Amino acid sequence: MGRVDQHLTPLSGWGANVRAGCVLREPENEAAVRACLDDAGTTLRGLGRSYGDAALNSGGTVLGMTRFDRYLAFDEQTGVLQCEAGVSLAHILRDFAPRGWFPRITPGTKFVTIGGCIANDVHGKAHHAQGSFSNCVDAFTVLLASGEVVAASRTENADLFWATFGGMGLLGVVLSATIRLSKIETTYFRQRAICVNDLESMLAALEEQDHSFPYSVATLDVFARGARLGKGVLALGEHATRAELPPELAAEPLRVSGPPRLNVPRELPTFALNRLSIRAINALVQRIQARGAPFAHYEPFVYPLDKLLNWNRGYGKNGFTQYQFVIPFADGLPRLRTLLSAILSSGELPFLNVLKCLGKASAGVLSFPQEGYTFAIDFPIRSGTAALLKRLDRLVLDAGGRVYLGKDSYLDAATFRAMYPSLDQWLETKAKYDPRGVFTSDLARRVGLVSPRTG
Ligand SMILES: Cc1cc2nc3c(=O)[nH]c(=O)nc-3n(C[C@H](O)[C@H](O)[C@H](O)COP(=O)(O)OP(=O)(O)OC[C@H]3O[C@@H](n4cnc5c(N)ncnc54)[C@H](O)[C@@H]3O)c2cc1C
């Protein structure tokens, strides 16, 4: 059957700002993956939680990996789990949290696959203490473009191992992985909220509190300007022990909640998000964060947005983007001030946001996290959004920083190259393991991770 006859499934990233018709295949085993590989260009996809075009291949083949969802082995003594790459953190929590195990590294949503977490070398609220996802991965198996399956770890095919973290699914199909879970006594967090009045105090509070709390994240009031720029709430936490819990929670210390019951059934009209509604939600978010009961279940503490299924539809049919950058600590305060002022005075509608300190970078060749301040902010797509992001790219680059591909839909190839100096090293590994350029994506073509020719 020729490509023109094949049914195209409309797909998008979480931001729904780029949409593409793709030939979606959902293989269930290794032989089926091999059979589905399309030499003209194949893109891998997990749960589609990347915001932009990382898991899109306009007009081409996309392999949805969520049927690779089997556990292969678990060591109850060490917490080492071997599983297929389509297993999600939501499933791991459902099945292992009641037994006292928690994902060692987790992003702000549990609806992500292990393959997606590896491809973006994801980070979470605990990055300053625990690093990025690669820190909990011992090894994985990869099906290469040749059809061969190879193992990769710190000691075996180490070049492939480290290029795969942050490698955006462009070296091969991760079939299975061996990851480490962390032992927990309870599924609750001991938490604390600190209200801070300006950016300088916020950065000082982050630095001070990060020594005491493994989980930390600040949310800024997007309506605070001038001397109040950077005003917000710093949320801190750590896994609660059994002895700490009040009796009503101690009765079921490893409680796990069921699937979310609230849903946004369809895209809201674009006018629903305006300065007034954003002001109201911003104030509500600040109030909820500041309230901070002493203990919180992991759901509201780590995954507050997962409560509402399909919340991305709230941004309407044009979708939204999240701009996330990291800049080094040196000169961080004035640089952040400039960036925040540019964002907040832009006339765009900056919305939900997080600010935190990232710790040491991993050895992932294209991994995003590096030591410094990271800030992520959502923008509903409007006519001026792309131009604003271009201005921000220049400021981030000037500050020695970079933008996160897992959230991005706009970065151009020259800017990406300037932000990621290890790109040539990564391209050498790509040429070694995928010489015909079989693995590609809309994002890869846009930022120069593959040449435009290769699919
Ligand atoms: C509400 C929300 C909060 C988030 N918070 C954070 C956060 O705190 N920190 C953070 O780092 N990220 C965060 N993210 C982004 C998210 O963690 C990443 O984009 C993650 O990679 C998504 O995983 P996925 O399974 O949905 O993969 P997809 O988005 O479907 O794909 C992501 C990448 O993985 C590749 N891939 C997928 N499966 C495989 C496989 N089997 N083998 C090889 N490559 C594969 C794809 O080709 C693509 O390049 C958040 C996203 C949302 C929606």
Side-chain angles (χ1 to χ4, degrees):
M1 191 165 54
R3 165 92 40 103
V4 281
D5 302 325
Q6 291 179 331
H7 173 70
L8 295 182
T9 304
L11 295 175
S12 71
W14 188 247
N17 54 46
V18 196
R19 295 169 199 250
C22 306
V23 181
L24 180 63
R25 307 249 191 248
E26 296 185 289
E28 217 172 332
N29 55 45
E30 188 184 309
V33 170
R34 220 174 257 120
C36 288
L37 280 191
D38 180 352
D39 278 1
T42 300
T43 298
L44 306 173
R45 185 175 175 94
L47 279 163
R49 257 43 180 205
S50 292
Y51 281 62
D53 48 2
L56 300 181
N57 188 15
S58 296
T61 298
V62 169
L63 298 195
M65 293 298 293
T66 52
R67 289 189 180 165
F68 268 71
D69 60 354
R70 285 153 289 224
Y71 301 124
L72 305 173
F74 183 61
D75 183 334
E76 197 72 58
Q77 300 305 313
T78 60
V80 173
L81 172 68
Q82 202 190 342
C83 64
E84 291 184 335
V87 165
S88 70
L89 293 187
H91 287 155
I92 290 178
L93 282 159
R94 180 195 65 195
D95 298 330
F96 292 92
R99 293 153 73 173
W101 297 99
F102 199 78
R104 186 162 288 190
I105 315 284
T106 174
T109 174
K110 60 187 177 303
F111 299 120
V112 286
T113 62
I114 297 301
C117 289
I118 290 174
N120 266 316
D121 197 6
V122 297
H123 61 280
K125 284 182 178 179
H127 186 273
H128 63 282
Q130 293 168 354
S132 55
F133 202 73
S134 49
N135 271 3
C136 74
V137 179
D138 285 353
F140 47 76
T141 58
V142 187
L143 189 144
L144 301 175
S146 61
E148 183 192 359
V149 176
V150 297
S153 69
R154 286 169 181 76
T155 51
E156 195 175 6
N157 296 313
D159 57 347
L160 177 62
F161 185 75
W162 289 116
T164 300
F165 291 106
M168 307 309 291
L170 297 166
L171 295 169
V173 188
V174 176
L175 296 176
S176 67
T178 305
I179 64 169
R180 285 172 186 273
L181 305 182
S182 288
K183 189 78 189 140
I184 46 166
E185 286 187 29
T186 78
T187 47
Y188 290 88
F189 279 78
R190 186 163 59 75
Q191 65 168 358
R192 196 175 154 205
I194 302 179
C195 296
V196 180
N197 280 328
D198 60 55
L199 189 60
E200 190 168 4
S201 321
M202 181 61 88
L203 300 190
L206 272 164
E207 193 186 331
E208 189 189 328
Q209 298 299 332
D210 275 1
H211 297 297
S212 318
F213 289 90
Y215 290 75
S216 76
V217 70
T219 307
L220 304 188
D221 175 348
V222 290
F223 290 94
R225 307 286 154 85
R228 311 268 280 169
L229 184 79
K231 168 180 177 282
V233 182
L234 173 58
L236 304 157
E238 69 177 307
H239 291 280
T241 62
R242 226 168 250 235
E244 285 171 338
L245 286 188
E248 66 277 15
L249 302 181
E252 201 187 345
L254 291 168
R255 185 177 70 80
V256 173
S257 35
R261 267 173 271 148
L262 299 172
N263 183 23
V264 180
R266 65 184 70 85
E267 281 161 357
L268 294 188
T270 321
F271 63 77
L273 259 196
N274 53 41
R275 222 158 270 284
L276 268 183
S277 56
I278 287 187
R279 192 177 275 279
I281 299 171
N282 176 66
L284 183 68
V285 169
Q286 294 282 309
R287 263 206 312 281
I288 293 172
Q289 298 269 20
R291 220 169 32 213
F295 295 94
H297 190 256
Y298 69 76
E299 287 289 351
F301 184 76
V302 186
Y303 308 115
L305 292 167
D306 285 354
K307 204 183 167 80
L308 183 57
L309 269 184
N310 298 309
W311 60 263
N312 54 343
R313 291 177 179 158
Y315 282 93
K317 72 171 170 30
N318 296 337
F320 72 111
T321 189
Q322 187 175 99
Y323 190 75
Q324 180 168 7
F325 63 82
V326 57
I327 57 168
F329 289 129
D331 274 346
L333 176 61
R335 301 274 190 185
L336 268 181
R337 236 184 225 135
T338 307
L339 277 152
L340 288 178
S341 303
I343 291 170
L344 300 182
S345 63
S346 65
E348 293 302 305
L349 290 174
F351 195 27
L352 298 177
N353 66 84
V354 296
L355 171 70
K356 79 165 268 98
C357 294
L358 295 182
K360 292 210 176 329
S362 78
V365 183
L366 291 181
S367 291
F368 162 74
Q370 61 175 24
E371 249 180 343
Y373 298 112
T374 187
F375 185 64
I377 185 154
D378 289 357
F379 296 96
I381 304 296
R382 305 200 321 164
S383 55
T385 311
L388 169 64
L389 300 192
K390 275 265 170 291
R391 289 203 297 283
L392 298 180
D393 285 348
R394 277 196 294 278
L395 294 172
V396 169
L397 199 50
D398 273 358
R402 53 172 59 157
V403 164
Y404 185 18
L405 288 186
K407 310 282 179 73
D408 171 64
S409 312
Y410 290 91
L411 210 55
D412 60 66
T415 313
F416 173 68
R417 172 171 278 281
M419 287 177 173
Y420 286 81
S422 305
L423 176 59
D424 283 329
Q425 180 195 341
W426 185 87
L427 287 171
E428 275 173 32
T429 312
K430 168 85 173 159
K432 175 176 167 188
Y433 288 98
D434 182 18
R436 289 177 295 122
V438 169
F439 295 104
T440 185
S441 66
D442 287 352
L443 174 141
R445 285 184 284 263
R446 173 167 60 82
V447 303
L449 284 163
V450 297
S451 66
R453 230 170 4 88
T454 61

